[in-house]
Amino acid sequence: MTDLKNILAIIPARGGSKRLPGKNIKTLAGKPLIAHSIEYAKNSPEVNKIILSTEDDNIGAIGEQFGAEFLKRPLELAQDTTKTAPVLVHVVDELEKTGYKPDLVILLQATCPVRQKGLVKLAIDTLSENTEYDSFFTGFKKSFTMALWVKNSDNKSHALYDYHLRPRWQDVEVNDKLIAEDGGFYAIKYDAFRKCKDFVGENPYIHEVPYTVDIDNQADFDRAEGLIKGN
C-alpha cells in the first residue's frame, strides 16, 4: 500500500495555436476551454494543488479566475516543438523550490475537456493498492490501421512505415488488443516521474474509456461542445 496524499494537477496551456488560434481560451459551452480542466481538478477533492502552466499572461489570468495557480513557463518551453513532459518537470522543479513535493503528478490536457468522473480517486486507489503499477492513464480500444500516411500541403504524401510490408487483415490479431491513449488523463507517482521524466512510467495501468475528443481543429471543438451539451 502506497500513501498518496499530495496530489498535483498540472494543466499545460501554450498561447500559440496555428490550426485553431486562441484555442485554450476559446469559449466552449459557455466558458474558456482551459476552465473545463481546471474545474475537473477542483471537483476532485483529492487534488490539493492545481497549476496552470503557460507563457501567456492572459491565459494565466483567466486560469486564476477559475481557481488555478498560474505558473509562468519560460519561452523555450512554449514553442511549437515543445513536448509536454519537460513542461511538467519545470512545474515540479519550481514547486519544490517552495517546499511543495507531490506524491502524485496528474496531467490534465486542456485539449481534452471531456473526461469520465472520478478518475483522480480511481488513479489513487489503483496506484496505492497495486504497487507494481507506477502510473495510470486513460485509453480506448483502437482498430488496427493498415497504413499511416502523411499528406503534405503540396498534396504529396509519404508513409510513416514500410507499407510494402503491410500484413493481411486475416493475419493481424489486434482489434480487441490495441489501446490508444485518449490524452485526457495521466497520473504518475513522484519517484517514477523523476526517474523517467515523463508522465507515463515503465509499468502503467491503462483504464479503458470510450473515446471522446482531443481538440486540434474546429471540427474537434464542435464535437467537444456537442458532447458537453449532450447533443
Side-chain angles (χ1 to χ4, degrees):
M1 179 73 73
T2 303
D3 196 13
L4 302 174
K5 291 183 178 179
N6 287 331
I7 312 300
L8 167 65
I10 303 175
I11 303 164
R14 191 171 66 89
S17 176
K18 292 181 177 178
R19 292 194 181 186
L20 196 59
K23 175 173 63 178
N24 283 312
I25 54 175
K26 185 177 171 68
T27 300
L28 175 70
K31 63 189 72 171
L33 177 59
I34 57 171
H36 294 274
S37 293
I38 294 170
E39 291 184 348
Y40 187 90
K42 287 182 64 178
N43 291 331
S44 302
E46 302 82 7
V47 174
N48 48 40
K49 188 171 283 291
I50 306 168
I51 298 293
L52 175 67
S53 169
T54 182
E55 86 294 359
D56 187 297
D57 289 338
N58 187 38
I59 293 177
I62 292 172
E64 287 179 326
Q65 291 174 15
F66 283 89
E69 297 179 46
F70 167 30
L71 179 61
K72 192 162 186 175
R73 74 170 86 160
L75 289 177
E76 59 266 27
L77 291 178
Q79 305 302 310
D80 290 339
T81 56
T82 301
K83 295 186 179 299
T84 301
V87 174
L88 303 191
V89 172
H90 171 257
V91 171
V92 174
D93 284 347
E94 292 301 305
L95 290 178
E96 287 190 347
K97 293 176 183 177
T98 71
Y100 179 88
K101 177 182 173 181
D103 296 315
L104 193 69
V105 178
I106 291 174
L107 166 62
L108 299 175
Q109 299 198 107
T111 53
C112 301
V114 184
R115 299 177 180 88
Q116 189 180 77
K117 293 181 179 179
L119 288 174
V120 175
K121 184 177 188 306
L122 181 59
I124 292 171
D125 291 346
T126 301
L127 296 176
S128 296
E129 297 167 6
N130 302 278
T131 55
E132 69 270 29
Y133 299 122
D134 60 7
S135 51
F136 174 110
F137 67 84
T138 50
F140 61 98
K141 283 189 174 160
K142 186 174 177 61
S143 297
F144 178 68
T145 302
M146 291 300 291
L148 292 174
W149 291 80
V150 174
K151 187 173 183 180
N152 301 318
S153 57
D154 59 3
N155 212 33
K156 295 180 180 179
S157 302
H158 66 273
L160 296 181
Y161 75 106
D162 188 348
Y163 59 89
H164 297 296
L165 299 178
R166 73 179 72 188
R168 300 183 308 157
W169 275 104
Q170 56 267 45
D171 293 333
V172 179
E173 119 184 62
V174 289
N175 287 344
D176 62 344
K177 296 181 180 179
L178 283 183
I179 303 292
E181 299 172 33
D182 77 334
F185 185 92
Y186 298 86
I188 184 168
K189 295 176 182 176
Y190 174 82
D191 289 344
F193 175 74
R194 279 307 192 191
K195 180 179 179 181
C196 68
K197 295 181 173 58
D198 208 332
F199 45 89
V200 176
E202 296 176 354
N203 298 295
Y205 178 89
I206 306 175
H207 175 62
E208 291 184 35
V209 295
Y211 178 69
T212 53
V213 65
D214 185 353
I215 297 174
D216 184 52
N217 52 43
Q218 186 61 48
D220 297 332
F221 203 91
D222 294 341
R223 172 176 167 78
E225 189 152 50
L227 288 169
I228 291 170
K229 291 182 175 179
N231 297 333

